[in-house]
Amino acid sequence: MIPDPALNQDDTPPRGLRRMRRLARGVLWFEAIWPAVAPAVGLVLLVACAALLDLPRMLPPLAHLVLLALFCIGVVALLGLGVRKIRRPQPEEADRRLEADSGLRHQPLAVLEDHPAASADASADTPSGALWAAHVARARAQIARLRLKAPRPVLAAIDRRALRGLVLIALAACLGVAGPDALPRLEGAFHPGFSQALPPPAPVLQAWITPPGYTGLPPVFLKMDGAAIQAPEGSKLTVSVTGGTRRAGAEDAPVLDIAGEASALPALDATSFQIEQTLATSGRIAVRRQGREMAAWDLSVVANAAPVVIFPEPPEQLGRGVTPQTRLPWQVTHAYGVTALQAEIRLTARPDAEPTTVLIPLPGLAPKSARGARVVDLTAHPWAGLEVALQLVARDATGLAGRSEAVPFTLPERRFMNPLARTVVYIRRQLSLTPQDRASAVRELDRLSGQREAWDNDVSGYLNLRAIMSLLYRGRAPETVAQAQDRMWSLALHLEEGAADRTARALEAARQQLRDPMEAEKKAEERALEEQRKAEAAKKDAEKADANQGLPTEKTDKAANAKKTDRTPEARAEIEKRIRALEEALQKRLQALTDQARRDPEGDAYNPDAHPMDQRDMQRLAEEMKDANKKDKTDEAREKLAELEKMMEALKEGRPERGQMTERERQRAEKRQRGQQQMTALQDIIKREGNILDSAQARASAIDSMRQLPLGDPNSRQLPLAETDPRRTEQRVQLALRRAVGELMQQYADLTGDVPPNLGDADTAMRDGAQALGAAQDARAAQAAQRAIEALQKGGKSMQQQMASKFGRGDQQGEDGDEGDEGEGMAQGEGQGDGDGPGQGNGRGRQFGNRPGDAPGMYPGRPNQGRQQARRPGLNLDPLGRPRGEGIGGTDEAGDVQVPEEMEAARTRALQEELRRRGADRTRRQDELDYIERLLKQF
């Protein structure tokens, strides 16, 4: 039989067949080689596990070397046995593998190599030839589906117990045990340790200086370059030497030489030494060992200097009113900080008299440089009106005091209008000059008591005068004069009379009664902290001493357990009682000043009616002080008291010049302006978010009308957005708006210290909206935009209320009115849409709702309440039923922000035309047409 070439006209193999055959042969080679080398690989992994556990390096060097040799021999032997079993794959085996993995039957690859056996007269046109051609064509069609599966190494035959899995688990566990030391352990397993013992390490010297606690400086490590060093007096030098060997029979301990005084370093162990010395004098420091100098430094001990305190300008009298103040300017500097500052007042006529001190609070805990001025009222002092010498005294943490130059000064005195009061104060002042001459004072007081007509209507004052005379005549104690002077001052104030004066004294007394226990608590806390610091230092010293002597360090001094004690409930209740007393005295003082200002409008007294926000701030500080006291936040309570005292000083300074704001009012105005800018930014964000809502709703409605996808289906088909897709642009805008909201939250937190939680909800909704736009889910994007608008509206309302409470409204009426009205319209803007869900149909014509005081039904969102009343003639309304000239924020901008009326009206007309255009499209769903019709009813 001779094959007919015409019956196999195309002998070329199909495209890609050669590559598939090569891959099949590679798979067969792998399946043949891998079982052969698997035992050797298993042995390598087992040895690796042992190396990761660091077992080989625990063996003696010779045993380690034998183990490595056995390992190499075992690997070579296993590889040799396995290679002998490897058989070269045949081409026919590759074809059969391809046919088996592809699921082909009847060996179609063999058909490409076969030819039919035909007779001499057979040809392609015969039936048998046609049948063979069809057979070949069908084989070629099957070859197009060739597939090759992954190699299938047959390890089960040689590893019937699946020990290979245990080896892999053991390797993973050993890697976890070795951790970062895995690579060094693997390297060390192949390096037997036949080398000789390493030489002892060279000695290492470390030295550092620890400054004393009052400096607040960190430890300083000394370099080995021998440079000159400086250290504050009382610093501690620590020297540590480690390494080296100790020679038998020789003294090897290092020696520390400070200014000629040598001390051996105590031994910590066989090769470690350490010593700690207090630096008191300057000189050369050297560390020597075995007669050789290891390091040296030139030391300069800097003695602690007293703080420098001066009067940067002369003290002065403030005000010419009834009770002038004394201004004490001060300036202090110290290298390590000033902890206390006071002014000492000495009577010039009696230098031996006990001086009077005035505490001056310092900013911060221990400022190194500070400057300021203390304003105090010394008109009640017995030396008022006399020549005195003022001197500032500053102290550091060690108690070292620095003094300024004594400055002569005449203490301001109160101006009394009552002649009897002036006489009593004069007698009181003379007693300060000549306290031993009581007889003259008694005679003068007796002369005053003889003026019967002056005491007819003041029996209590007369009795007080006679009691003072008796006290001076009969009293012999040293404090008698001081007691009489105090009663004389009370009598003079009684004679002068005046509710404002009484309330001022009561307020000052209540303030002092509250401040005294708070200062006592502060000093007690400082003492407790100092004792705890000393106890910790003593504990460390004891542990070092025990360690040097080789004793256990478990037992320590009981002082180490010292700690700050908690306040008792009685102390907390007492502080709260005094806070309430201060609050009541403050209310009475404000009422008295208000009455005085009404009686004398042209006077220079402080008028609380002109500064209502100051009254609110005082009340708020008192409440916060009580809350801090209940929570035992003593530092916060003291801060609130200090802030309240600053505001109380304004009551003493008198009325500011007409047309000028106080400092607090100026600060509130600046913060209020910043808040207005933030509200404007929030309105713009809501407007832009509304544009995204419109676009998303329009696309969602169109898709729903075409019935292509279920509305809002989260499992709808997601396709990548093209760059020209409007969703891509809106997604970028949404992300930009989210960043803008984050910046707005940060700025508002810096301004008020609080952030409305609704802004965080808006941020979350914007994130969801951006994700929905990226996934082409318009319905979900519209819902997220709607949630963002609602959260922004609520957040805007909260922002307006907080700013109104903290900073006022920017006009006198707003500050004096009910702060709760501020931002009321924000809540009214939440439900626009006549029942179709919050804020449907944008609802952004008035983003923050109605103004306080607007008539019900005047704006969209409340269409069923008095719509006809809102449209009656005489009201200047825009097409949305809003009064013109009020901006878009829902509150009166008070002239800070001017909104173009024509632009707003044009936008309203454009909204109306767009709604009518959509309502004319009858292809829309019926519920959407009903909703548009409800919106058109608002116009």
Side-chain angles (χ1 to χ4, degrees):
M1 305 292 288
I2 300 176
D4 187 0
L7 296 179
N8 242 347
Q9 297 178 358
D10 189 6
D11 292 337
T12 60
R15 184 179 180 181
L17 180 58
R18 292 181 179 178
R19 182 178 63 86
M20 295 299 294
R21 284 175 171 173
R22 286 196 298 269
L23 292 176
R25 285 194 294 272
V27 168
L28 293 176
W29 272 112
F30 178 79
E31 292 179 351
I33 294 175
W34 174 238
V37 301
V41 173
L43 179 60
V44 171
L45 294 180
L46 289 175
V47 174
C49 291
L52 291 173
L53 296 178
D54 209 15
L55 298 178
R57 290 196 292 184
M58 298 181 182
L59 299 175
L62 183 59
H64 192 175
L65 182 61
V66 172
L67 179 64
L68 286 179
L70 293 176
F71 166 70
C72 296
I73 294 172
V75 170
V76 173
L78 291 175
L79 288 176
L81 293 175
V83 169
R84 293 175 57 187
K85 299 178 181 179
I86 297 176
R87 185 175 60 84
R88 178 185 181 89
Q90 300 300 319
E92 294 79 5
E93 295 178 351
D95 289 348
R96 303 294 81 77
R97 179 60 178 269
L98 285 173
E99 292 169 349
D101 288 351
S102 303
L104 303 181
R105 295 182 300 174
H106 307 302
Q107 299 183 357
L109 293 178
V111 174
L112 301 180
E113 307 295 335
D114 292 344
H115 294 84
S119 59
D121 57 349
S123 65
D125 296 333
T126 61
S128 60
L131 181 60
W132 179 255
H135 178 59
V136 172
R138 186 177 64 177
R140 285 180 174 273
Q142 291 181 343
I143 292 173
R145 302 196 308 269
L146 286 179
R147 298 291 184 272
L148 184 62
K149 296 182 180 179
R152 297 187 296 272
V154 184
L155 294 179
I158 59 176
D159 184 17
R160 296 181 179 180
R161 299 185 182 274
L163 297 179
R164 56 190 182 278
L166 295 178
V167 173
L168 294 177
I169 294 174
L171 179 64
C174 294
L175 284 172
V177 172
D181 298 332
L183 186 59
R185 291 185 178 184
L186 290 174
E187 293 178 353
F190 294 92
H191 295 82
F194 281 102
S195 58
Q196 297 180 356
L198 296 175
V204 177
L205 170 64
Q206 291 181 335
W208 63 90
I209 294 177
T210 305
Y214 70 85
T215 63
L217 300 176
V220 178
F221 285 85
L222 304 183
K223 298 180 179 179
M224 300 297 110
D225 53 2
I229 56 175
Q230 290 184 345
E233 184 180 7
S235 300
K236 291 185 178 181
L237 172 65
T238 304
V239 178
S240 175
V241 178
T242 58
T245 57
R246 303 184 65 174
R247 295 180 299 176
E251 184 61 36
D252 191 56
V255 177
L256 173 63
D257 188 340
I258 303 178
E261 296 183 3
S263 302
L265 273 68
L268 300 180
D269 55 30
T271 59
S272 300
F273 306 87
Q274 183 171 314
I275 191 173
E276 186 178 89
Q277 293 284 355
T278 300
L279 301 177
T281 58
S282 302
R284 180 177 173 82
I285 299 177
V287 180
R288 301 184 182 90
R289 188 175 189 182
Q290 298 177 2
R292 183 177 60 86
E293 188 176 87
M294 301 180 67
W297 304 273
D298 291 329
L299 171 67
S300 297
V301 176
V302 181
N304 184 26
V308 178
V309 55
I310 61 172
F311 284 106
E313 52 189 85
E316 60 178 339
Q317 174 181 324
L318 295 180
R320 300 293 177 183
V322 177
T323 56
Q325 309 292 305
T326 300
R327 183 176 182 271
L328 301 175
W330 55 269
Q331 181 177 351
V332 293
T333 56
H334 191 256
Y336 308 123
V338 180
T339 59
L341 177 63
Q342 65 182 21
E344 289 185 354
I345 305 175
R346 297 182 181 274
L347 186 60
T348 305
R350 292 175 52 213
D352 58 335
E354 186 70 20
T356 297
T357 59
V358 177
L359 296 178
I360 300 177
L362 293 169
L365 296 177
K368 296 182 179 180
S369 178
R371 180 173 181 171
R374 175 73 191 277
V375 178
V376 293
D377 182 7
L378 298 175
T379 56
H381 198 275
W383 297 347
L386 298 177
E387 186 77 15
V388 298
L390 296 178
Q391 189 176 32
L392 297 174
V393 181
R395 289 182 170 81
D396 64 0
T398 63
L400 193 61
R403 297 178 176 269
S404 68
E405 295 183 359
V407 177
F409 183 70
T410 300
L411 287 183
E413 58 179 335
R414 181 189 171 96
R415 185 178 62 192
F416 287 92
M417 306 302 296
N418 187 288
L420 291 178
R422 288 200 299 269
T423 303
V424 172
V425 171
Y426 173 78
I427 298 171
R428 177 175 180 260
R429 185 163 56 244
Q430 290 302 117
L431 275 175
S432 297
L433 295 175
T434 57
Q436 69 279 1
D437 188 9
R438 303 182 186 181
S440 298
V442 172
R443 285 195 300 270
E444 291 295 329
L445 292 175
D446 183 62
R447 185 180 60 83
L448 286 179
S449 66
Q451 301 179 13
R452 299 295 182 179
E453 67 280 359
W455 305 100
D456 287 344
N457 298 322
D458 192 0
V459 178
S460 61
Y462 179 77
L463 295 176
N464 192 11
L465 177 65
R466 300 300 297 182
I468 295 172
M469 292 171 55
S470 177
L471 178 63
L472 289 174
Y473 183 76
R474 300 178 183 277
R476 293 294 181 265
E479 63 273 8
T480 300
V481 173
Q483 295 175 0
Q485 287 179 322
D486 290 341
R487 300 186 68 171
M488 287 181 185
W489 180 253
S490 300
L491 177 60
L493 294 178
H494 173 77
L495 294 171
E496 185 72 12
E497 198 53 45
D501 298 328
R502 291 196 304 271
T503 56
R505 295 195 308 273
L507 178 60
E508 180 65 22
R511 182 194 67 81
Q512 192 63 37
Q513 289 178 359
L514 175 60
R515 184 173 184 177
D516 289 344
M518 284 191 170
E519 291 295 332
E521 282 187 348
K522 181 180 179 181
K523 292 180 180 179
E525 292 174 2
E526 291 176 351
R527 287 195 300 269
L529 292 176
E530 180 65 20
E531 291 176 0
Q532 184 176 2
R533 186 187 65 79
K534 292 180 179 179
E536 292 175 355
K539 178 181 177 181
K540 292 181 180 179
D541 294 342
E543 289 178 352
K544 289 182 180 179
D546 293 344
N548 294 337
Q549 298 176 7
L551 299 176
T553 60
E554 296 180 358
K555 296 183 179 180
T556 58
D557 192 271
K558 294 182 179 180
N561 297 324
K563 63 178 181 179
K564 176 182 173 183
T565 58
D566 296 333
R567 289 199 303 171
T568 61
E570 293 77 9
R572 189 184 305 109
E574 180 64 23
I575 293 292
E576 185 174 0
K577 178 181 177 181
R578 298 192 181 193
I579 292 175
R580 288 198 299 269
L582 176 64
E583 191 174 10
E584 294 175 0
L586 179 61
Q587 293 296 334
K588 294 179 180 179
R589 173 62 173 161
L590 293 174
Q591 183 61 42
L593 287 175
T594 301
D595 297 339
Q596 181 180 357
R598 290 172 181 172
R599 290 192 303 268
D600 185 13
E602 300 300 328
D604 58 353
Y606 183 88
N607 185 7
D609 284 343
H611 311 283
M613 286 299 295
D614 289 345
Q615 298 185 52
R616 296 180 186 176
D617 288 345
M618 292 181 184
Q619 296 171 359
R620 175 178 55 81
L621 287 172
E623 292 297 331
E624 292 176 354
M625 194 170 11
K626 287 192 292 186
D627 184 63
N629 178 66
K630 291 179 180 179
K631 299 178 180 178
D632 285 341
K633 298 180 179 180
T634 56
D635 292 338
E636 183 178 347
R638 284 192 288 267
E639 291 176 1
K640 300 300 180 183
L641 177 61
E643 190 174 354
L644 182 59
E645 287 178 339
K646 291 181 181 178
M647 299 190 67
M648 292 167 58
E649 293 295 333
L651 304 180
K652 301 178 182 179
E653 295 174 1
R655 176 181 301 181
E657 297 183 9
R658 296 185 181 277
Q660 294 185 359
M661 295 187 296
T662 63
E663 179 64 20
R664 292 186 66 85
E665 289 174 340
R666 185 186 62 79
Q667 294 176 359
R668 279 195 295 265
E670 293 177 355
K671 292 182 178 180
R672 186 167 54 245
Q673 184 177 7
R674 289 169 55 191
Q676 292 284 0
Q677 295 173 356
Q678 294 175 6
M679 293 302 301
T680 302
L682 180 61
Q683 294 166 11
D684 183 66
I685 292 173
I686 293 179
K687 177 181 177 182
R688 296 175 183 271
E689 188 69 25
N691 295 335
I692 295 177
L693 173 61
D694 289 341
S695 301
Q697 282 183 338
R699 289 192 299 269
S701 299
I703 293 175
D704 187 59
S705 63
M706 296 173 64
R707 299 295 192 271
Q708 291 183 352
L709 289 175
L711 187 60
D713 184 7
N715 298 319
S716 59
R717 181 170 54 94
Q718 300 181 6
L719 297 177
L721 298 180
E723 289 296 329
T724 57
D725 195 320
R727 298 185 184 90
R728 176 74 67 181
T729 303
E730 292 175 7
Q731 184 185 27
R732 297 193 183 101
V733 173
Q734 184 70 88
L735 294 175
L737 292 178
R738 185 186 178 195
R739 288 192 296 270
V741 169
E743 295 176 1
L744 181 64
M745 293 168 65
Q746 180 63 41
Q747 295 174 3
Y748 189 76
D750 295 340
L751 180 64
T752 63
D754 190 14
V755 177
N758 304 101
L759 296 185
D761 298 338
D763 178 82
T764 303
M766 288 181 173
R767 181 198 62 193
D768 297 341
Q771 295 175 354
L773 289 171
Q777 297 179 356
D778 294 315
R780 192 160 63 91
Q783 294 172 0
Q786 184 61 55
R787 294 199 309 273
I789 292 174
E790 294 174 4
L792 291 173
Q793 289 174 342
K794 294 178 181 178
K797 174 189 172 183
S798 299
M799 291 169 63
Q800 286 180 325
Q801 291 175 343
Q802 290 177 1
M803 288 191 296
S805 175
K806 291 179 178 292
F807 315 131
R809 296 189 185 179
D811 56 355
Q812 187 64 28
Q813 181 180 1
E815 291 185 358
D816 199 24
D818 184 8
E819 65 189 39
D821 292 341
E822 188 70 32
E824 180 67 23
M826 184 80 70
Q828 302 294 345
E830 296 173 8
Q832 300 174 7
D834 194 19
D836 283 351
Q840 288 290 341
N842 290 352
R844 295 178 302 279
R846 288 187 57 83
Q847 295 168 356
F848 295 152
N850 301 346
R851 285 171 49 86
D854 289 337
M858 185 174 291
Y859 306 123
R862 289 175 288 180
N864 297 326
Q865 300 180 12
R867 185 181 297 115
Q868 298 301 326
Q869 179 183 359
R871 295 183 178 276
R872 66 177 184 267
L875 293 178
N876 186 17
L877 306 178
D878 66 3
L880 288 179
R882 304 171 301 173
R884 296 183 183 273
E886 296 182 354
I888 63 174
T891 60
D892 193 353
E893 303 291 350
D896 294 338
V897 180
Q898 299 294 335
V899 180
E901 292 299 323
E902 295 301 327
M903 292 179 60
E904 190 174 355
R907 186 174 185 274
T908 301
R909 287 193 295 270
L911 288 174
Q912 184 178 8
E913 292 174 0
E914 177 62 20
L915 288 174
R916 288 176 176 170
R917 184 188 65 79
R918 296 186 182 185
D921 185 4
R922 311 313 296 180
T923 61
R924 297 178 179 272
R925 294 186 305 171
Q926 186 59 39
D927 56 349
E928 184 177 358
L929 293 174
D930 295 341
Y931 171 64
I932 294 174
E933 183 179 358
R934 288 197 300 270
L935 290 179
L936 286 173
K937 290 180 181 180
Q938 307 298 328
F939 292 90

